Amino acid sequence: MNATPPDAGAEHGGGNGLLWVLLAVAIVFAVMRPRAPLDYLKLVDWQTLGALAGLLAITQGVEKSGVLQSVAARLLAQTTELRHLVFFLVAAAAGLSALVTNDVSLFLLVPLTRVLAAQAHLPLARLVVLEALAVNAGSALTPIGNPQNLYLWHRSGESFIGFMGMMAPTVAVMLFWLFAAVRFLVPRVEIQLKPAGEAAPAQPRLLALSALLFVAFVVALDQRWLPAGLGLVFGAFLLLRPRVLLGIDWTLLLIIALMFVDLRQFAELPTIAALLQQWPIDEGWRAYLAAIAVSQFISNVPATILLDRYVHDLPALAAGVSVGGFGCVLGSLANLIALRLAKVPHGLREFHRIAIPFLLVCALSAITLRL
C-alpha cells in the first residue's frame, strides 16, 4: 500500500498559510509593542507544546509499526456502509475525548482514519472535520476532557460528578447536532475498497515500544515530569528507531508556538481589556455569547483564562468556551491538530464549511439553557 509521505499534503491540511499569517502578526506585534527576546519565550505554553511534541513522536511510531493497516482492514471487513463507519468513528472520538482528553483522542483516531481512507474510497477531509467536532463536544463533559474544563473545575469547587452534571445539558445539545450532522453530511452508501497494494511489513517491536513510551509519557505528564518524559521518548526513538523522528510535523509545533505568542499578546491589548470591562458579560446569555465570540479569536483555553476575571457565571462560561471550540479553526487547538494530522488538501476550507454552520446551530440551540 502506498503511504502518504510524511510531509506530503502538510501544507494543505493545517495550512502553512496559517503559519505565515501568524508569523506576520508576530512581526507586527514586535514592531508596535516590542519586548525583550526572553519575554516572547514566556508567552509560549511549553507544557502544552512539549506534550504535543511527545505525542507526535509516539504517533509516528504507531503509524510506522504497520498495526493501523491491519486494524483498518478488519474494520472495513466488518463495516460495509459508509454512514455506519462514520457513526462509529465519531462516537469513538467523542467517548475517548471525555476520558483521555481531546488531543490524545485525535492522535489515536486521525491516523487510523487516514489509513482507512488509503484502503477505501472515503471522504477523508469530512471524516476528520467530524472527528474534530466530536472531540470538542465529548471532551466538554468531564473535568479532565480538555484544559479549559480542568481549569474551571478547580475554580468551581464542584465534585467530578457535579461538574459533569453541570455540563451535561450543553453536551447533550452538541452531541445531538453532531450526530444530526453525520446523518446529513454522510450518505448511506456502500464502502468501495481500493485495489489492495503492497502492505508495509508489520513491526510489532516498534508498536510495543510506542505503547510503552505512551504509558510512560502520560505518567510523566500527570506527574509534571515533562523534560524527563520528552527525554525518554526522543532518546528511545533516537537510539532504537531514528527514522520515526523524521516524520514528526515540526511545522505544527511552530504554528502552535506562534499561536501562543500572537493570541496572548492580543489578549493583553488595553483595548481588549477596556471592551471586556465595559460590556455586561458577567452572567447569563451575555457571558455565554462572549465566551463563544472571544474563543473564535484567541482559542477557547486562553478565552477561559481571560474571561474568568470578568464573568461570574461559571456554567455560562464553561458552556460558551465549549461551544466556542466550533466555528473558526482557532476556536480550539484540537481543530488545528486534527487537520495537520490528516494531511488533506483544502482541509481548512472543508473545516470552515462544516464548522461555522455547526457553531451557529449549536450556539442558538444551547443559548436556551442560559435564558
Side-chain angles (χ1 to χ4, degrees):
M1 180 179 302
N2 294 326
T4 304
D7 295 327
E11 62 181 359
H12 304 290
N16 279 356
L18 178 59
L19 171 64
W20 297 118
V21 170
L22 292 170
L23 186 59
V25 172
I27 293 172
V28 171
F29 272 121
V31 172
M32 297 181 62
R33 298 172 61 86
R35 297 170 176 256
L38 289 178
D39 287 343
Y40 288 103
L41 296 179
K42 295 176 182 178
L43 292 171
V44 178
D45 186 335
W46 294 104
Q47 184 75 18
T48 298
L49 201 66
L52 290 175
L55 290 171
L56 280 171
I58 293 168
T59 301
Q60 281 297 308
V62 174
E63 285 199 59
K64 292 184 182 299
S65 72
V67 68
L68 293 181
Q69 284 80 355
S70 60
V71 171
R74 291 180 183 179
L75 190 56
L76 289 172
Q78 296 178 0
T79 309
T80 58
E81 186 179 297
L82 177 60
R83 187 182 289 172
H84 288 166
L85 176 64
V86 178
F87 269 127
F88 171 77
L89 292 172
V90 167
L96 277 173
S97 65
L99 301 175
V100 296
T101 76
N102 51 6
D103 52 352
V104 173
S105 302
L106 291 172
F107 280 111
L108 294 172
L109 286 174
V110 174
L112 173 62
T113 307
R114 281 179 53 210
V115 175
L116 285 167
Q119 297 184 9
H121 294 280
L122 303 177
L124 177 58
R126 185 168 300 180
L127 264 63
V128 171
V129 171
L130 290 170
E131 287 172 355
L133 300 181
V135 299
N136 282 324
S139 67
L141 179 61
T142 66
I144 59 173
N146 53 52
Q148 67 268 22
N149 273 16
L150 190 60
Y151 174 83
L152 292 171
W153 179 42
H154 289 153
R155 289 277 287 106
S156 70
E158 290 276 1
S159 65
F160 194 99
I161 299 299
F163 189 91
M164 290 180 62
M166 179 184 78
M167 296 302 300
T170 301
V171 173
V173 170
M174 294 190 291
L175 291 179
F176 171 81
W177 287 114
L178 173 66
F179 288 108
V182 173
R183 186 173 180 82
F184 176 74
L185 293 171
V186 180
R188 193 172 182 177
V189 297
E190 293 293 313
I191 296 174
Q192 300 296 319
L193 298 180
K194 294 180 180 179
E198 184 178 350
Q203 302 182 57
R205 291 184 179 179
L206 178 54
L207 175 62
L209 173 64
S210 301
L212 288 173
L213 289 175
F214 176 76
V215 173
F217 191 62
V218 170
V219 171
L221 292 178
D222 183 62
Q223 298 297 318
R224 299 189 181 277
W225 299 337
L226 177 61
L230 281 174
L232 175 64
V233 170
F234 280 85
F237 281 132
L238 189 62
L239 289 173
L240 303 174
R241 291 288 196 280
R243 288 184 177 273
V244 168
L245 301 181
L246 297 177
I248 294 176
D249 189 354
W250 299 105
T251 304
L252 172 60
L253 298 176
L254 180 57
I255 288 174
I256 292 170
L258 284 171
M259 281 180 60
F260 284 122
V261 170
D262 290 350
L263 300 181
R264 286 183 169 177
Q265 289 184 96
F266 179 80
E268 291 174 356
L269 290 174
T271 305
I272 301 299
L275 284 174
L276 293 175
Q277 288 176 343
Q278 292 174 6
W279 289 347
I281 59 170
D282 56 327
E283 61 182 357
W285 63 269
R286 293 182 177 87
Y288 167 76
L289 291 180
I292 294 175
V294 174
S295 295
Q296 299 306 295
F297 293 97
I298 66 171
S299 190
N300 51 12
V301 177
T304 303
I305 298 171
L306 174 65
L307 292 175
D308 185 43
R309 71 188 76 168
Y310 304 104
V311 174
H312 307 301
D313 187 342
L314 190 140
L317 175 59
V321 294
S322 295
V323 176
F326 309 128
C328 177
V329 70
L330 294 180
S332 172
L333 191 58
N335 300 334
L336 187 58
I337 292 172
L339 294 181
R340 293 295 302 193
L341 289 175
K343 302 176 183 177
V344 289
H346 313 299
L348 280 172
R349 182 191 306 171
E350 180 73 0
F351 179 86
H352 290 119
R353 192 178 72 84
I354 296 173
I356 290 176
F358 191 84
L359 167 67
L360 296 175
V361 171
C362 281
L364 292 176
S365 300
I367 197 173
T368 58
L369 303 173
R370 313 266 73 87
L371 298 176

